[in-house]
Amino acid sequence: MTEPVLAYPDRGIRVESVRLVQYTGEIDEYTFRSGMLNIITGVRNSSKTTTLKAIDYCLGDRDSPRDALTIAVAEKYVEISTSLTLNGTPHTLTRSLQHGRLNKVYVDGDSLNVDVFSGWILRELGWPDLQIPKGIIAESANQLTPLSFRNTLRHIYRNEDSWTNFADKEAEFIRRAVVSQLLGFARARYSNKDFHVAQAKKRLAEAQAVEREVQESTLQAVSAISDRLGIPVARSFEQVAAARDAVRSELDTTYEQRRRLTADINAMVHGDQESADAGFDPTLTADYEDISRRLQRSLDEVAGLDQLHDEHKQSAQTVTAEIGRMQRLIASVDLFDALPVRLCPACEQSVDPRRPHDDDSCYLCSQPVDDDLRLRRAQVEVRSLESELADLHDVITRTAGDLQTAQERRTQLEQQQGELAKRINSARAAQLAPFVTALEDLAGAIAQLEQKMTAFPAIEEILQRRVEAGQSVASAQQSLDNITAAQPAHQGVGPSPGDRCALFADRMNSFLGRYRGHGWVNGSVTISDSDLTFYVGTRPWNQILGAELRVLFFLAYSYACLFLANDLDEESAFPGLLMLDNPFQQGIDANVIKSGLQDLGQAAQATGAQVITTQALSETITGEHVRHIQMPQVYEAN
């Protein structure tokens, strides 16, 4: 079915082997060959699908090992690795199944985060690393999103859930981007000029809306402030500066008027007798100063006497306490003197105080006994302290009298000072009365002018918002002009998008031609280069094809992918690899699947590509372009 074509054995991806390392150290390894159909066969739960999932996991799958490889595999193996070539360069991709290293892909021993891995493998393959609008219509999209390697991988790794659609749970804008990348015009289509123009227009519209709102709100705010303060409405910084100069000049004039008036008042109040008004006695100030000095001396005297009185009282309290202490001592002497001795301190014999003895001798040893000198000394001390206490009481009495006299004198001086102050205030009030109204008027005028001066910075800040809003509009307009005038970063080369779509559709139709008598509809496949919709006849493929025919449709899609390098130029993202999981279990006639896989194997042989598929049925596909890989183990289902 396939004509001889020029093979591309190096371009794209080729899987050489998959290694699964158990916790025991044992290794399960499966090898694959290029230029042929590699069929993984085995009974149910023999890890056929798991082998494809292991390759997929090494290619940057984000899921946990349990979700990506099933629980049985995640619990049995500690590490998996895939040896492959990217555009002819060999690499080993390793994924650890142990916690702590799950989000890493080890490329030839060097770790890469799964987020970084996509960019690395795109560069290795020479595929464009693009940002695409997140939406079908670029003009209405709100953001850009990466077109990752995983997006394209889903179109060449067809798992059990993607035999009725291009990729499982894939958004339409992603599908269009992947197809354009496979066909080689993604760089030109996703220069994203339309998106950036739309975003620039949105920013310009937002800036213009803000400017309109600012123009209106600032005018209202400035008008309100101007009306309240009685200043002209300023619509520019020049008008604000002119109004400020006018208010400043008026304020300076008012300040000068107040200064002159204050100088006149000071001259009148502090002038000589000749400049004083009639009825004002200038000696009042001198008398007030004299009274103030005398009052200050009186205050000092009262403070000194009060302190001296307190000290004398404290001394009297101290002497009284000493007298009490001596009296307690005398009582103690009398008390211990009356105590009889019952025991001899030398021999510890009992002593009878009633034994006969002289009154002036000791009843123990009969020696003469003198009067107790301690008692007499204490009595003398008490008499001395009592004399001292009497003197202190006299001093306290005299000091209290002096203190009372000083306090009365202070009170009298305070009254005199108050009377003089009233007379002085009355006299000065009479002199200043004609100037009070003028001073009050000047103070009010100054307050109003100063309030106006404080309003100008606020007005300037409000006007600055208008300037900034205008600058934002100008910047947004300039950005839009620059984007509109800019040329796309990548101009389309080679066949046009329409020709590329036609070539790809022709390859699909060449595959489907032999199945027109085996259930395939009569219509041919065509592809719209505008929205990359696939048509069968005159209707979109998903409206005319049932579930079984969709499987045949995607076999044709996979077949056409194998010829991208032959039919198109290097701009096409030639994968060089197909991974097809369980095509026999999709409800379509097994003979049709068998025939389709034969065609894919022949295409792989002709193009140097590689097809890896799984097969659980007993039907065998043979030929020099076919290699069977028997799975030796069976896992318990979880």
Side-chain angles (χ1 to χ4, degrees):
M1 165 173 184
T2 56
E3 67 276 15
V5 295
L6 178 63
Y8 291 83
D10 294 334
R11 187 175 167 192
I13 308 169
R14 306 292 189 279
V15 178
E16 296 180 352
S17 66
V18 176
R19 290 165 53 94
L20 297 93
V21 182
Q22 302 182 27
Y23 279 90
T24 61
E26 298 179 16
I27 298 176
D28 298 336
E29 184 171 6
Y30 309 103
T31 61
F32 308 94
R33 295 180 183 174
S34 300
M36 60 172 49
L37 174 67
N38 298 267
I39 302 177
I40 304 174
T41 61
V43 298
R44 183 178 177 82
N45 294 326
S46 61
S47 76
K48 303 183 301 299
T49 297
T50 298
T51 303
L52 297 185
K53 288 183 177 180
I55 298 173
D56 178 60
Y57 195 60
C58 288
L59 290 172
D61 192 339
R62 288 171 161 274
D63 289 338
S64 67
R66 287 172 172 255
D67 294 334
L69 304 171
T70 72
I71 297 176
V73 175
E75 292 180 348
K76 182 176 181 179
Y77 296 99
V78 65
E79 180 183 278
I80 60 174
S81 64
T82 299
S83 296
L84 46 71
T85 61
L86 303 176
N87 285 351
T89 303
H91 294 284
T92 299
L93 309 180
T94 304
R95 295 294 298 270
S96 173
L97 307 186
Q98 295 179 318
H99 290 291
R101 297 190 294 172
L102 298 180
N103 62 339
K104 302 289 186 181
V105 179
Y106 292 86
V107 180
D108 302 325
D110 298 327
S111 66
L112 290 178
N113 192 286
V114 291
D115 295 330
V116 180
F117 176 79
S118 175
W120 175 83
I121 194 170
L122 287 173
R123 289 190 298 271
E124 289 294 313
L125 291 169
W127 298 358
D129 190 0
L130 302 174
Q131 296 283 328
I132 63 174
K134 195 172 184 179
I136 296 176
I137 303 175
E139 291 81 356
S140 62
N142 293 322
Q143 67 182 85
L144 297 176
T145 187
L147 178 61
S148 69
F149 168 76
R150 303 277 314 166
N151 295 137
T152 307
L153 179 63
R154 293 190 186 100
H155 282 239
I156 61 176
Y157 170 35
R158 198 158 296 282
N159 58 36
E160 290 182 300
D161 297 326
S162 60
W163 279 104
T164 57
N165 213 330
F166 281 89
D168 184 36
K169 301 176 182 178
E170 181 181 55
E172 175 63 16
F173 71 92
I174 292 288
R175 183 198 69 80
R176 295 182 183 183
V178 170
V179 173
S180 66
Q181 175 155 287
L182 289 172
L183 299 185
F185 56 90
R187 293 182 196 269
R189 173 159 292 191
Y190 291 101
S191 63
N192 295 325
K193 181 175 181 179
D194 292 342
F195 172 81
H196 292 302
V197 168
Q199 293 299 308
K201 289 181 177 179
K202 289 180 182 178
R203 291 191 293 270
L204 177 59
E206 292 172 356
Q208 290 173 339
V210 170
E211 183 186 32
R212 288 192 296 271
E213 188 275 331
V214 168
Q215 291 284 351
E216 182 178 355
S217 61
T218 53
L219 180 59
Q220 292 176 352
V222 171
S223 299
I225 295 174
S226 301
D227 292 343
R228 187 174 69 251
L229 298 180
I231 58 179
V233 178
R235 292 178 170 83
S236 65
F237 289 104
E238 291 76 11
Q239 293 178 353
V240 173
R244 179 190 282 112
D245 292 341
V247 173
R248 169 58 66 185
S249 177
E250 185 177 358
L251 183 60
D252 291 341
T253 301
T254 307
Y255 278 143
E256 179 61 23
Q257 292 176 355
R258 186 180 65 174
R259 187 194 64 77
R260 289 198 300 267
L261 183 59
T262 303
D264 293 343
I265 294 173
N266 290 332
M268 178 190 65
V269 172
H270 300 290
D272 54 22
Q273 180 65 32
E274 295 179 358
S275 62
D277 290 344
F280 178 74
D281 187 0
T283 61
L284 291 176
T285 303
D287 292 343
Y288 185 83
E289 293 176 355
D290 180 63
I291 289 294
S292 297
R293 286 192 296 270
R294 290 165 58 192
L295 177 60
Q296 183 61 45
R297 288 196 298 270
S298 178
L299 290 173
D300 294 340
E301 182 182 6
V302 169
L305 290 173
D306 188 48
Q307 181 179 2
L308 182 62
H309 183 264
D310 289 340
E311 290 176 353
H312 287 325
K313 288 177 65 178
Q314 185 177 2
S315 298
Q317 292 174 355
T318 303
V319 171
T320 302
E322 285 293 321
I323 292 174
R325 186 176 67 81
M326 298 305 299
Q327 289 176 347
R328 289 193 298 274
L329 175 62
I330 293 172
S332 299
V333 172
D334 293 339
L335 174 64
F336 287 103
D337 186 61
L339 291 177
V341 178
R342 302 293 185 183
L343 190 68
C344 177
C347 62
E348 297 183 356
Q349 295 182 26
S350 298
V351 177
D352 185 3
R354 294 172 298 179
R355 63 183 295 187
H357 64 282
D358 296 333
D359 292 336
D360 56 353
S361 64
C362 176
Y363 61 83
L364 287 180
C365 61
S366 301
Q367 293 185 22
V369 177
D370 295 332
D371 294 338
D372 193 341
L373 297 178
R374 293 175 300 169
L375 179 60
R376 285 182 294 171
R377 178 65 179 270
Q379 290 173 346
V380 170
E381 185 71 23
V382 169
R383 286 194 296 272
S384 175
L385 291 171
E386 288 176 346
S387 176
E388 182 179 351
L389 181 62
D391 293 341
L392 286 173
H393 283 314
D394 292 340
V395 172
I396 290 172
T397 301
R398 290 195 301 272
T399 303
D402 294 342
L403 177 61
Q404 183 177 2
T405 301
Q407 289 174 341
E408 291 173 352
R409 187 162 53 251
R410 179 195 64 188
T411 302
Q412 182 180 7
L413 290 173
E414 287 176 346
Q415 292 175 352
Q416 292 176 2
Q417 184 188 45
E419 291 174 357
L420 280 174
K422 290 179 180 179
R423 292 176 61 189
I424 291 173
N425 289 336
S426 298
R428 288 182 174 175
Q431 283 184 309
L432 296 176
F435 303 96
V436 171
T437 301
L439 285 173
E440 290 178 348
D441 292 341
L442 290 174
I446 289 173
Q448 291 179 356
L449 292 172
E450 288 179 343
Q451 186 178 14
K452 292 179 180 181
M453 291 298 296
T454 59
F456 291 122
I459 294 175
E460 288 178 332
E461 184 176 351
I462 294 173
L463 294 178
Q464 182 62 30
R465 291 181 55 200
R466 301 176 62 180
V467 173
E468 292 173 354
Q471 292 174 346
S472 297
V473 171
S475 176
Q477 183 64 57
Q478 183 63 43
S479 177
L480 175 59
D481 294 341
N482 293 339
I483 295 173
T484 303
Q487 295 296 324
H490 183 84
Q491 300 290 342
V493 296
S496 67
D499 293 338
R500 293 173 184 272
C501 291
L503 289 170
F504 193 81
D506 289 343
R507 280 293 178 183
M508 291 183 65
N509 290 323
S510 68
F511 176 88
L512 295 169
R514 63 186 297 183
Y515 300 103
R516 294 187 185 277
H518 299 279
W520 180 252
V521 295
N522 292 326
S524 298
V525 174
T526 57
I527 306 173
S528 169
D529 65 320
S530 60
D531 60 3
L532 296 175
T533 298
F534 285 66
Y535 291 88
V536 177
T538 59
R539 297 172 61 186
W541 70 277
N542 54 352
Q543 296 181 12
I544 195 171
L545 300 181
E548 295 179 2
L549 290 183
R550 290 188 180 192
V551 176
L552 191 57
F553 174 85
F554 284 112
L555 285 174
Y557 182 81
S558 302
Y559 178 84
C561 287
L562 295 177
F563 286 93
L564 285 173
N566 301 98
D567 296 340
L568 299 173
D569 51 20
E570 292 186 357
E571 283 295 311
S572 64
F574 175 58
L577 170 68
L578 290 177
M579 294 193 300
L580 311 175
D581 189 21
N582 289 330
F584 281 100
Q585 299 182 18
Q586 307 303 322
I588 196 171
D589 186 354
N591 290 324
V592 174
I593 297 297
K594 181 178 178 180
S595 177
L597 290 177
Q598 284 279 13
D599 292 342
L600 289 176
Q602 293 173 1
Q605 184 181 37
T607 60
Q610 183 182 59
V611 180
I612 303 174
T613 185
T614 60
Q615 175 181 318
L617 302 178
S618 58
E619 288 82 353
T620 58
I621 303 173
T622 59
E624 61 179 5
H625 57 280
V626 179
R627 177 172 179 266
H628 290 271
I629 304 169
Q630 182 68 38
M631 293 288 101
Q633 300 186 38
V634 177
Y635 298 92
E636 294 182 1
N638 285 288

